Amino acid sequence: MGEIDKQRVSAVRTLEEIGYVWDGIRWQPQREAAYWPEADTLHALLMDRAEVLSGCIEGTEQEDELRALADALEAYEARRWPEGKVPGGKG
């Protein structure tokens, strides 16, 4: 096996290890890529904290914290559930 073939084999193995699949035309991320359960646990904790801060007074540090949490949660949810719903969930 030549050097180029070894590199190709290694590249394919790496892509598969990080969750990509070959669809016959190109490499695609799996629809339900593996996520760390710890990330979902952190998401739940951040949701709890955002709920506590939801009644905060405008212009306070708590409002700044809530805004930062909302931005982080929205970014995580867009990546975790790109179709806007939990697979097998209600919404």
Side-chain angles (χ1 to χ4, degrees), residues 13-31:
R13 188 174 299 125
T14 300
L15 285 167
E16 289 173 342
E17 286 173 358
I18 61 173
Y20 281 77
V21 293
W22 179 252
D23 69 2
I25 298 171
R26 64 182 152 226
W27 287 97
Q28 299 283 342
Q30 289 180 350
R31 279 275 183 212

